[in-house]
Amino acid sequence: MYEIARRHLGKVVAGAAMAVTGTAVAVAISLPGSAGADDTPGGRGALGAGAAGTAAGTAGAVGASSGHQGGEGGEGAQSAGTAPPPATVAPAAAEGRKGVGSDPLTDDELSRAETLALTPPGAAAQQNVEGGRGPQHLGTDLADPLPGDGTRRAEVRLYDYGRDELITRTVNLDTGKVEKSASQRGVQPSAHPEELREALELILASPLGKGVKEDYRDATGKALTSTTQLWFNGDLYRTYREANVPAQLSRCGEHRCVRLVTKVLNGAWIDTRNLIVDLSARTVTRVG
């Protein structure tokens, strides 16, 4: 009887121990990774086997996913390496004959304004930069509108080399009439490209142009015979900006005088900054 009771008690104790062990394992498995983290060797050893198994399964899943994504990435890289189609430039919209409001003047309006500004009586007696008939055109801009009037007008600037006068004429582009005309002396707007070209012509024709021709031959091995062989730019020579003004240039400001910068086409610079051209007197003077 005693033996039977002892065996029965042993089974109960063993069952209780197994129940406790099962509960501990269930708790360990259900804990999230961060909750059971332990930096001590004992703590890491307690979950080593379970964590290793879980990590192996996860690594396999990630590896498979990475392999699939890698395949897609290869296709993306190949697609990204494909040359894009050649760029195309859309043609500019056709320009109308007349602008609207404050739009810039069209080519037709510019041409019409210049023609109208040259028609008043006396224009034929004026001189351009080459000494020919008619004033030298300097520029044309859209005139400021009158209050309550939407009519487009152009302001045309001309220069009469015969009298050294700046002429400003306001042209009504709707009626074709010159509504206003004024003349001034001693007012010198920026130089026009045609004036700069004439200045270079005068330099090459002058004895002072000998050095320019020599520099051109040194740079190219060829003779300089035309302004088309040079790139050039420049603007007015203004005496109030200079420390020393030669007597020959004392009338610059009343006369139109220019200074040029020049270079061989796609080549070396040729220094012409010390050569000042008086376009009114058609002379070339060295400064400095």
Side-chain angles (χ1 to χ4, degrees), residues 144-165:
D144 292 333
L146 299 177
D149 185 355
T151 302
R152 283 167 66 83
R153 294 174 174 82
E155 186 176 87
V156 184
R157 295 183 304 281
L158 309 166
Y159 196 83
D160 178 11
Y161 274 91
R163 294 174 57 85
D164 275 310
E165 286 184 344

Side-chain angles (χ1 to χ4, degrees), residues 65 72-73 78 116 194 211 216 227 233 253-254:
S65 176
E72 292 180 350
Q78 183 177 0
L116 293 171
E194 291 177 1
Y216 184 87
T227 59
N233 203 347
E254 176 188 347

Side-chain angles (χ1 to χ4, degrees), residues 46-124:
L47 294 178
T54 303
T58 304
V62 170
S65 176
S66 298
H68 179 65
Q69 292 176 358
E72 292 180 350
E75 294 175 0
Q78 183 177 0
S79 176
T82 304
T88 58
V89 178
E95 183 181 68
R97 296 188 60 186
K98 294 183 179 181
V100 178
S102 59
D103 288 349
L105 294 170
T106 66
D107 290 343
D108 284 345
E109 288 176 319
L110 289 170
S111 177
R112 175 173 164 78
E114 182 178 349
T115 300
L116 293 171
L118 294 174
T119 54

Side-chain angles (χ1 to χ4, degrees), residues 189-258:
S190 294
H192 188 276
E194 291 177 1
E195 294 178 302
L196 299 179
R197 182 175 296 280
E198 183 63 16
L200 184 54
E201 292 276 10
L202 291 172
I203 289 175
L204 297 183
S206 165
L208 295 176
K210 181 181 178 181
V212 178
K213 295 177 181 178
E214 291 174 349
D215 289 346
Y216 184 87
R217 184 178 289 277
D218 290 342
T220 66
K222 300 177 182 179
L224 176 59
T225 59
S226 170
T227 59
T228 59
Q229 295 172 263
L230 293 173
W231 176 94
F232 57 93
N233 203 347
D235 207 350
L236 294 182
Y237 171 80
R238 302 187 187 274
T239 56
Y240 61 83
R241 295 178 180 173
E242 306 297 325
N244 298 303
V245 178
Q248 303 95 308
L249 301 177
S250 61
R251 297 188 67 185
C252 290
E254 176 188 347
H255 288 183
R256 277 180 79 72
C257 302
V258 298

